[in-house]
Amino acid sequence: MTETVHVPLEGRAYDVRIGAGLVAEAGRHIAPLIHRRRVAVLTDQNVAALHLEALKAGLAMADIEATALVLPAGEGTKNWANLSHAVEWLLSEKIERRDVVVALGGGVIGDLAGFAAAILRRGVRFVQVPTSLLAQVDSSVGGKTGINSPSGKNLIGAFHQPALVLADISVLDTLTRRDFLAGYGEVVKYGLLGDVDFFDWLERNGPALAEGDAGLRAEAVRRSVQMKADIVVRDETEQGDRALLNLGHTFCHALEAATGYSDRLLHGEGVAIGCALAFETSARLGLCPQEEPSRVRAHLKGMGMKTDLADIPGTLPDADALLALMGQDKKVLDGKLRFILARAIGRAFVATDVDTDVVRNVLAEALRGR
Ligand code: GLY
């Protein structure tokens, strides 16, 4: 069964379709968007080996021909060189304003392909076919596209909404457990930021979902996407509420920078640890009851996820250095660090006047626990 979450942005509304087997049915879903039976697919080597032939076959079922560019896999791909390569390739393939670019992959491919589509001929439409849990619940929805700069992650980009998102639950079966759980960090984030009932549901169903229950996986993706869609419709360009989606991310970005954006820490793992730290900070500031951070950590630990700084292999810099890395976060406003904190599980808010000494102490203590 396919579920649909509609994202009703005026003039740029689109569907996120969620279900098993959507890659095989891609042609039927994409056909109404195109003016000629040809699309350009951007993907990476790992995803191409697993899913490109299936996508091409699914498109061929609707007589849609696909040409594909296969980029290297990994965060390092989100750079100017690959963006330029992708855009020049799309031009050489004569992709026109009325054509559609298909992003087949995780967050890296979705962000790069979306940005390439945003700037190609001043904007062509694109379809997201997210193949990681993280991309299905977060990066494929909401129109944030871009690449990394040597100065930081995602510092170059554009808001460009997809024309359609096809979240095929069956492709999640090909993820390693580590990648699946990293994506699950973003799922937990939704419960923590805005829906305690969803967090309760995850506490009950998380283990079966991680074991592979497709119905539970589809439900977790649907609820996450619905929450994201609601927030994006309220605040597309992150002037306010959309920042709530960054719960755990200020800590995460510092930890990712400190670990060199390497395999030591995946983005979703950093989000999970960052959420635990954000709840710890909230409790220290007297904003939420002390039981809340313990409950957050218990769920993450119970799922076998990275939860504490001690779970990150190798050395980390001290608390001051981590705080300095937070200062590089692009969400700094007027020189003040902005944090997403919480009054309880499911009640996050944007805090702009956080005492950095409290954050330093939380980090120092978390580092001592290593
Ligand atoms: N990943 C956060 C956002 O889309 O706003």
Side-chain angles (χ1 to χ4, degrees):
M1 195 181 76
T2 303
E3 303 251 25
T4 298
V5 174
H6 187 61
V7 186
L9 285 165
E10 210 177 317
R12 304 177 303 301
Y14 58 95
D15 281 350
V16 182
R17 300 199 184 128
I18 301 152
L22 289 175
V23 167
E25 295 172 10
R28 181 164 72 75
H29 294 275
I30 291 174
L33 299 174
I34 56 180
H35 294 268
R36 58 173 174 154
R37 302 248 150 212
R38 187 162 182 269
V39 296
V41 180
L42 292 172
T43 188
D44 73 33
Q45 280 158 349
N46 294 347
V47 174
L50 292 167
H51 305 299
L52 183 57
E53 285 317 310
L55 177 68
K56 283 185 169 176
L59 291 164
M61 299 271 280
D63 291 325
I64 301 170
E65 185 203 332
T67 174
L69 176 66
V70 181
L71 293 165
E75 188 68 34
T77 297
K78 268 174 60 172
N79 62 19
W80 283 114
N82 284 302
L83 177 73
S84 161
H85 182 36
V87 170
E88 293 300 336
W89 175 77
L90 290 167
L91 290 171
S92 72
E93 291 292 325
K94 310 236 173 330
I95 296 303
E96 295 168 4
R97 283 294 290 280
R98 297 192 332 153
D99 290 330
V100 160
V101 174
V102 177
L104 173 70
V108 168
I109 286 296
D111 285 6
L112 183 138
F115 191 33
I119 58 176
L120 182 75
R121 302 186 194 278
R122 300 199 177 88
V124 302
R125 291 162 308 147
F126 78 114
V127 172
Q128 291 267 22
V129 184
T131 55
S132 68
L133 179 58
L134 187 137
Q136 292 193 354
V137 299
D138 185 37
S139 57
S140 68
V141 180
K144 280 190 181 174
T145 72
I147 57 171
N148 300 329
S149 146
S151 304
K153 268 183 79 168
N154 297 326
L155 291 181
I156 303 150
F159 286 100
H160 185 52
Q161 299 292 339
L164 175 69
V165 182
L166 296 176
D168 185 341
I169 295 302
S170 34
V171 306
L172 301 178
D173 295 342
T174 61
L175 296 178
T176 63
R177 192 170 177 84
R178 184 179 180 197
D179 281 328
F180 184 86
L181 288 179
Y184 185 79
E186 294 277 2
V187 175
V188 172
K189 178 194 80 176
Y190 288 104
L192 295 177
L193 77 88
D195 187 350
V196 67
D197 291 342
F198 185 39
F199 187 76
D200 286 344
W201 186 90
L202 291 171
E203 284 179 323
R204 288 194 306 280
N205 295 299
L209 187 157
E211 284 311 313
D213 187 306
L216 293 174
R217 286 181 172 192
E219 178 62 2
V221 173
R222 186 193 65 76
R223 289 177 80 155
S224 301
V225 168
Q226 185 66 62
M227 281 185 68
K228 178 146 190 186
D230 291 345
I231 291 174
V232 166
V233 166
R234 286 205 300 276
D235 177 23
E236 184 181 7
T237 57
E238 199 168 313
Q239 308 302 312
D241 267 11
R242 185 164 181 166
L244 295 175
L245 296 172
N246 298 324
L247 176 63
H249 282 61
T250 305
F251 288 108
C252 171
H253 289 163
L255 294 170
E256 282 184 294
T259 50
Y261 302 98
S262 69
D263 198 40
R264 284 172 63 197
L265 185 72
L266 304 179
H267 176 71
E269 294 172 336
V271 170
I273 295 173
C275 285
L277 290 169
F279 270 79
E280 190 58 47
T281 307
S282 304
R284 290 296 168 85
L285 288 164
L287 295 164
C288 83
Q290 190 54 57
E291 305 80 76
E292 298 291 68
S294 310
R295 188 175 164 196
V296 175
R297 292 181 63 256
H299 180 54
L300 300 178
K301 277 217 172 307
M303 291 294 293
M305 295 164 70
K306 285 193 169 60
T307 307
D308 300 308
L309 296 189
D311 299 325
I312 303 173
T315 52
L316 285 176
D318 65 15
D320 279 319
L322 286 174
L323 260 180
L325 288 171
M326 288 178 179
Q328 300 299 321
D329 191 280
K330 70 180 180 300
K331 291 161 202 87
V332 174
L333 270 189
D334 302 329
K336 286 190 184 142
L337 272 178
R338 193 162 54 136
F339 277 90
I340 312 305
L341 298 178
R343 297 199 169 85
I345 290 174
R347 290 181 55 210
F349 67 100
V350 183
T352 46
D353 53 353
V354 179
D355 182 349
T356 45
D357 286 342
V358 173
V359 180
R360 186 181 292 105
N361 287 342
V362 167
L363 285 169
E365 222 164 273
L367 285 163
R368 277 200 293 279
R370 280 167 60 82

